[in-house]
Amino acid sequence: MTNHAGFAAEDAVPAPAQAGRHFSSFLTARRIDCKKSAVLPMDLSGAGVTRPGSWLDSMRASSPRHAKPIAGDEHEDWMEKHPSALSCFEAVVAEAKGKQIVMFLDYDGTLSPIVADPDRAVMTEDMRDAVRRVAEHFPTAIVSGRCIDKVFSFVKLEELYYAGSHGMDIKGPTAASDSHYHIKAKGDALTCQPASEFLPVIEEVYQELTARMAAIRGALVEHNKFCLSVHFRCVDEQEWGALEAQVRAVLQGYPDLHLTKGRKVLEIRPVIDWDKGSALQFLLKSLGYAGRSDVFPIYIGDDRTDEDAFKVKEFLSKLVKSKSNGAKG
């Protein structure tokens, strides 16, 4: 379900500024040991992580200035490896028939355009209405690298599940906005924060990175509560190497944090076995859908970090099919 034409959004487009809103919609939350709540143990270590020697080349490869058009046999080969969900829509509908659909949506580049200033990545009213209508029929979650407060200030829909900080901060809907498919008891909100112990060190690194990035024009450090994002979309490409070196210099003193990359962004996250794929598993289990053959999760995203969720979804799909075949035998 990846939007493989996503590079077209690399040229930043202006968006009107919009006042933020503090994420205060949830009732007093109940803590769950989410580290033990994954559907199945999986070894996805190394996904999306590039070794130090190739970082600058990798930054350029994953953050092209413009899309590179392809045609002929090369285009056909690419499409075979990256099929469009829209061109296979009837097949998707047929596969989902009679099953419980669960929607997982990335935010930046999926529900909103890619813009130069991450604080201006607002979604349109038409998109908000579309998400609202989807949530009327299916459990729907926003899974983002942003902190929950920030992504909720953009989406403004209380009936959704939100997994911020690359899945390390999860909250469910309020009881007041609860609809027929939510299973949590009234007055009880779903929460999961597997990286809480890292909050002090994240704050410390944020302060140090902010001071260092002040010398690099166009660099921006975004605090996403349980992780940090160093945006270099507005940095001259000649400065990318210097930016990476400064980030690495800071992280040398913090072995419990690691560095990954996205589209014109470097991500600093705690070294724990948790990502967007873990959030997908946790939410499916919390909703009572783990291991069921009558559940059809759909994940839509456009960045490298979404691949963690794609891998989990593919694994769970194969597992359910295997169980189903075994039962038939």
Side-chain angles (χ1 to χ4, degrees), residues 213-267:
M213 292 301 108
I216 301 178
R217 185 176 181 179
L220 174 66
V221 183
E222 184 179 17
H223 198 318
N224 289 311
K225 191 171 182 177
F226 294 101
C227 58
L228 302 172
S229 301
V230 180
H231 299 272
F232 56 92
R233 185 173 302 280
C234 297
V235 176
D236 188 296
E237 190 169 339
Q238 298 300 317
E239 296 291 325
W240 289 6
L243 181 143
E244 178 220 336
Q246 289 290 339
V247 173
R248 284 190 172 279
V250 171
L251 293 184
Q252 281 183 349
Y254 299 93
D256 291 335
L257 302 179
H258 72 118
L259 191 63
T260 60
K261 60 176 175 49
R263 288 162 56 188
K264 291 189 171 65
V265 63
L266 298 180
E267 306 277 5

